[in-house]
Amino acid sequence: MAQIFTRRTNMIPVIAPVIVAIVGGMLTFVVWFWFSPKHTDVGYKPRQPIPYSHALHAGDMGMDCRYCHNNVERSAYAGVPPTNTCLNCHNLVKANSPKFRWLRQAKNEDGSINIDAESTPWKRIHKIADYAYFDHSAHVTRGVGCVSCHGRVDKMVEVKQVEPLSMGWCLDCHRNVKHYEDRGFDPALVVRPLDRVEVTDMTWGPDHPEFKNWSGKAANAYADKLDPPIVQCSGCHR
Ligand code: HEC
Ligand code: HEC
Ligand code: HEC
Ligand code: HEC
Ligand code: HEC
């Protein structure tokens, strides 16, 4: 008996590292799965068919978001531009760049657009579940700027998701955009004066020249005139 007991005890140094390795592996998996960008979606940045850069086009070149996302004020969807929009310039500019393998496929030999290639197969980044309803036009026509939900896209070489787009995140803004005083929430950061500042202006905030004329009373008065943003379940789950 004494000998068996001793033998078993001797096994501990051998088994312990194996158990530690298995448990450690499981923990790593759980942490990796739940907290990695892919699961929470924040930071999600897939590889695209053309290495298109917002930092170059919307940032350095100063193109307005609506040149390409031209439905954003009229429709629920912002939409991604058809290949044709790119060819407005890239028929001439950098037309032979190896980065445009896809755009060349978009053209027939006579230079006309190949219908099959009308839209580039861009990988979708921002996506909420089908059971929830979101409408771009309802937000941007009230003065909620792109930057509030998408961050400084004009500085992104590759677009990535910067906000969780979860129910808690939607409700946080909906509950606080009015009744700011109770909660210390500044509506001036969320809604801008549309007659003076474009909804696509990414620099909106305390450093913006118009901000001081708007924060405080003016923004509060404007927010008070908005319909209370929806917090009833049926508003977003239709
Ligand atoms: C020259 C055209 C062009 C301009 C200008 C432009 N975009 Fe885009 N945008 C695209 C294309 C093409 C994609 C799809 C490829 C990608 O994700 O980079 C895209 C993707 C996006 C996405 C991610 C879409 C998804 O799949 O979830 C967001 C958000 C976005 N743009 C916001 C903006 C904002 C904000 C501006 C203005 C600051 C802007 N865009 C200006 C062409 C443009
Ligand atoms: C208003 C004109 C204009 C439009 C529209 C436009 N671009 Fe550009 N694009 C440019 C210019 C200018 C450059 C910089 C060229 C240079 O570096 O000399 C550029 C550069 C690029 C480059 C880098 C090319 C290289 O070889 O370095 C890519 C890729 C690109 N654009 C993709 C796109 C895509 C995709 C679209 C459509 C969603 C698009 N562009 C729409 C003007 C435009
Ligand atoms: C109140 C938050 C909010 C604002 C403001 C906002 N977006 Fe979005 N955007 C979202 C959400 C949420 C999605 C995902 C929608 C879905 O899955 O139906 C999205 C998706 C997108 C997409 C890809 C899918 C689509 O709808 O076609 C593009 C492109 C985009 N936004 C561009 C813009 C631009 C450009 C602006 C400013 C003019 C803007 N967004 C303003 C929250 C916002
Ligand atoms: C940064 C603030 C902000 C965020 C974030 C936000 N919203 Fe809103 N939402 C508003 C404002 C402001 C209104 C307009 C209220 C009004 O109609 O006067 C609004 C209105 C709406 C409406 C009513 C649309 C209509 O047809 O009148 C819906 C639905 C909605 N939001 C859904 C969402 C969903 C879903 C999300 C998250 C994915 C979201 N919102 C995130 C500020 C926000
Ligand atoms: C302002 C818009 C909005 C309102 C109001 C809203 N939801 Fe949601 N809800 C969402 C969004 C956005 C998601 C997440 C979709 C995703 O994960 O892609 C969601 C997700 C959910 C989920 C899935 C689990 C989860 O938390 O992700 C349930 C269940 C749910 N909502 C129930 C409700 C109920 C019950 C109410 C009323 C008390 C309600 N919702 C009100 C926007 C809303």
Side-chain angles (χ1 to χ4, degrees), residues 62-120:
M63 287 177 75
D64 191 275
C65 315
R66 290 163 294 196
Y67 182 95
C68 294
H69 304 291
N70 53 6
N71 283 327
V72 74
E73 288 165 312
R74 289 183 294 271
S75 121
Y77 302 99
V80 170
T83 305
N84 218 347
T85 306
C86 312
L87 290 173
N88 283 343
C89 293
H90 288 292
N91 258 331
L92 298 170
V93 180
K94 289 265 177 185
N96 295 316
S97 165
K99 294 180 180 166
F100 286 137
R101 209 166 300 128
W102 171 263
L103 285 191
R104 275 197 297 280
Q105 286 168 20
K107 284 197 277 179
N108 295 318
E109 277 183 13
D110 62 357
S112 61
I113 308 278
N114 172 354
I115 302 296
D116 296 336
E118 229 172 29
S119 54
T120 306

Side-chain angles (χ1 to χ4, degrees), residues 46 48-54 57-59 62-69 78-82 85-86 120 122-127 136 146-147 149-161 200-202:
Q48 298 288 5
I50 303 171
Y52 167 77
S53 164
H54 280 80
H57 293 80
M63 287 177 75
D64 191 275
C65 315
R66 290 163 294 196
Y67 182 95
C68 294
H69 304 291
V80 170
T85 306
C86 312
T120 306
W122 301 109
K123 292 208 183 71
R124 179 86 178 253
I125 301 160
H126 301 78
K127 181 89 188 80
H136 272 94
C146 319
V147 70
C149 303
H150 295 299
R152 290 301 298 265
V153 175
D154 61 329
K155 293 189 170 172
M156 296 178 192
V157 174
E158 292 172 287
V159 181
K160 66 167 192 249
Q161 186 174 320
T200 51
D201 185 334
M202 307 302 276

Side-chain angles (χ1 to χ4, degrees), residues 28-230:
T28 311
F29 175 76
V30 166
V31 169
W32 168 75
F33 182 77
W34 288 103
F35 298 105
S36 76
K38 202 160 179 193
H39 190 79
T40 64
D41 289 342
V42 171
Y44 179 52
K45 199 171 71 173
R47 216 188 150 85
Q48 298 288 5
I50 303 171
Y52 167 77
S53 164
H54 280 80
L56 174 67
H57 293 80
D60 299 348
M61 289 168 54
M63 287 177 75
D64 191 275
C65 315
R66 290 163 294 196
Y67 182 95
C68 294
H69 304 291
N70 53 6
N71 283 327
V72 74
E73 288 165 312
R74 289 183 294 271
S75 121
Y77 302 99
V80 170
T83 305
N84 218 347
T85 306
C86 312
L87 290 173
N88 283 343
C89 293
H90 288 292
N91 258 331
L92 298 170
V93 180
K94 289 265 177 185
N96 295 316
S97 165
K99 294 180 180 166
F100 286 137
R101 209 166 300 128
W102 171 263
L103 285 191
R104 275 197 297 280
Q105 286 168 20
K107 284 197 277 179
N108 295 318
E109 277 183 13
D110 62 357
S112 61
I113 308 278
N114 172 354
I115 302 296
D116 296 336
E118 229 172 29
S119 54
T120 306
W122 301 109
K123 292 208 183 71
R124 179 86 178 253
I125 301 160
H126 301 78
K127 181 89 188 80
I128 58 170
D130 290 339
Y131 55 75
Y133 172 79
F134 177 79
D135 185 330
H136 272 94
S137 68
H139 291 87
V140 298
T141 58
R142 306 305 196 286
V144 184
C146 319
V147 70
S148 290
C149 303
H150 295 299
R152 290 301 298 265
V153 175
D154 61 329
K155 293 189 170 172
M156 296 178 192
V157 174
E158 292 172 287
V159 181
K160 66 167 192 249
Q161 186 174 320
V162 296
E163 295 290 351
L165 311 186
S166 60
M167 179 159 88
W169 174 77
C170 311
L171 286 173
D172 203 38
C173 182
H174 281 203
R175 289 207 182 100
N176 290 316
V177 70
K178 288 168 83 93
H179 313 302
Y180 49 90
E181 275 164 349
D182 320 342
R183 309 179 204 243
F185 184 86
D186 186 357
L189 288 169
V190 171
V191 285
R192 60 187 70 197
L194 277 173
D195 52 338
R196 281 172 279 152
V197 183
E198 296 282 3
V199 79
T200 51
D201 185 334
M202 307 302 276
T203 64
W204 181 244
D207 293 334
H208 195 281
E210 284 287 346
F211 192 80
K212 61 179 183 317
N213 302 326
W214 176 250
S215 56
K217 279 202 181 113
N220 293 334
Y222 178 84
D224 280 344
K225 270 192 256 142
L226 291 174
D227 294 333
I230 285 166

